[in-house]
Amino acid sequence: MADELTCFVVMGFGKKTDFETGRTLDLDMSYLNMIKPAVEAAGLVCLRADEIVHSGLIDVPMYEQLLNADVVVADLSTSNKNAFYELGIRHALRPFTTIIICEDGMKSPMPFDVNHVAVRQYHHLGEDIGSSEARRFSSLLTDAIKNILNKHPHDQDSPVYTFINGLKAPEIAAAIKEAVQPASSITKSAVGKVPSNLPTHSELMRDVDEAQKEGDWLTAKVFLTKIRKNAGFDKPDKEDAYILQRLALATYKAKSPNEIDSLREADGIIELLEPATSNDPETLGLWGAVHKRLWELTHDISHLDKAVNAYERGFYIRNDYYNGINYAFLLNVRAAQATDTGESIADFIQARRVRKVVLDICNAWLAANPKPAEEDAQADNGYSKSAYWVNSTIAEAYVGLEDVNAAEKLQQLYSSVPEKWMQDSTGQQIKKLQVLLSKSPLQLIKEK
């Protein structure tokens, strides 16, 4: 790799939540679909921290990359704290060849210290990135990399060197190189292949993804447990929220040694993220799902209350249709269980109010995400599935509101279902809801 130009990408891994907006973004999609292809198209070797194989602390090769990389691309999406810190280090070490990017959904302006630096923006859909946007931004980023490398002398882009005149960038002396060599990074480009006993974080996560796609949740759990231990994430002060969330999901989906025990084990993992006070929608969604299923299996009312609490807070934090429709459904469940008529009516009416808000959210999503053009239909095949679940939520909301158009909405929904299992899932949920509605506490008022 000595003769190749390198680009080190500073950003978070996996799904991260932007707490200002409540949106959760899959940053791996940004990296794999846009950033890495753009860097490689510019002729550079692209490396992110999770692709570094190291035999010591990750900090040493990470700092070395921040100093030595010919280009650094820093993605500040979700206001990731580590990304901001590493960008600061890069600005202190190098006067030039640093590119800042972020997704365009950030509500607040950039912090004062970087709001006068050029930031290139892209549009993220949350779970994925549309192929048209991926092509547009990849092309823009490739051109930006080529332009900054082709200028001689390079344009200064570090505020540190701009505002402190005469400051000289540090150089790695032979002694420093010798000191960091034992823990230096090893990449596929440098050695041809990664040693089998030293898999990268990204390779292990790909193993998790493959196991999950195959429905092999127990294997996914094994890999995630290994990742957690190898990275030191299993120490109380080092826990990584994303790894814990994935581990909790794999644990309860594995149903080993049995479903109830696996759910309780998953709940114990989620408790490490303090869900009772957490504002992370992903944590709350998992907490709600686990306790919703525990309620169904045990009929312990405490699990139902926790599930309602989780989906309620997730809904008001994120303002999304998924948490909203689950919150409304569980309110109907609790209304059916209540022995106090007033409490039952209160939950039933609140469920109706939530569904009206959910309808607004769904219609806004459809307006903001029109169906892709025909030439993008294959590349953006995820759209039809996303749109189905939005329309499924609309149909369920109509049923929950006992709207006369509910049957028509369901018929329209089923006429364009992408996969049969999706219709089955919707149908089962609608049947459960209809049973709950047949026990409406409002009938008591009408009778009186």
Side-chain angles (χ1 to χ4, degrees), residues 330-407:
L330 289 176
L331 283 170
N332 283 126
V333 173
R334 194 167 67 179
Q337 300 298 317
T339 55
D340 183 292
T341 303
E343 292 292 332
S344 180
I345 292 173
D347 276 344
F348 196 90
I349 294 298
Q350 180 63 8
R352 294 174 65 87
R353 289 173 174 168
V354 170
R355 288 190 177 97
K356 290 177 181 178
V357 177
V358 167
L359 282 174
D360 289 340
I361 293 170
C362 289
N363 288 324
W365 188 95
L366 292 172
N369 296 278
K371 187 176 180 179
E374 287 299 322
E375 60 268 22
D376 278 343
Q378 185 174 358
D380 289 341
N381 57 11
Y383 173 84
S384 61
K385 293 181 180 180
S386 296
Y388 174 84
W389 291 121
V390 173
N391 283 304
S392 173
T393 301
I394 290 174
E396 183 179 338
Y398 270 81
V399 172
L401 290 168
E402 300 176 280
D403 191 289
V404 293
N405 298 309

Side-chain angles (χ1 to χ4, degrees), residues 96-141:
F96 39 70
T97 63
T98 301
I99 297 173
I100 304 174
I101 66 174
C102 77
E103 63 97 17
D104 60 8
M106 294 177 69
K107 282 190 174 180
S108 299
M110 285 288 170
F112 173 78
D113 291 331
V114 293
N115 69 3
H116 49 277
V117 179
V119 178
R120 294 168 173 84
Q121 295 188 323
Y122 61 89
H123 183 64
H124 203 302
L125 298 175
E127 293 295 320
D128 206 342
I129 296 170
S131 61
S132 297
E133 175 63 2
R135 289 194 297 270
R136 180 197 73 81
F137 191 77
S138 287
S139 176
L140 183 152
L141 185 55

Side-chain angles (χ1 to χ4, degrees), residues 21-97:
T21 65
R23 298 171 66 230
T24 298
L25 306 181
D26 191 334
L27 297 180
D28 287 349
M29 293 298 99
S30 305
Y31 181 65
L32 296 173
N33 292 350
M34 295 192 310
I35 301 171
K36 192 177 183 76
V39 171
E40 292 176 345
L44 285 73
V45 174
C46 188
L47 187 66
R48 195 171 67 165
D50 63 330
E51 296 174 328
I52 296 175
V53 178
H54 55 97
S55 56
L57 289 173
I58 181 62
D59 305 65
V60 176
M62 184 267 288
Y63 288 130
E64 192 178 15
Q65 288 290 337
L66 289 172
L67 175 58
N68 281 340
D70 297 287
V71 175
V72 162
V73 173
D75 188 344
L76 304 182
S77 301
T78 72
S79 299
N80 187 279
K81 291 177 283 189
N82 287 332
F84 271 101
Y85 178 74
E86 291 169 29
L87 172 62
I89 292 172
R90 172 68 174 189
H91 276 163
L93 294 176
R94 292 285 288 266
F96 39 70
T97 63

Side-chain angles (χ1 to χ4, degrees), residues 143-157:
D143 290 343
I145 293 170
K146 289 179 177 178
N147 288 338
I148 64 172
L149 288 177
N150 289 336
K151 285 190 176 181
H152 297 285
H154 295 306
D155 287 341
Q156 235 171 229
D157 51 42

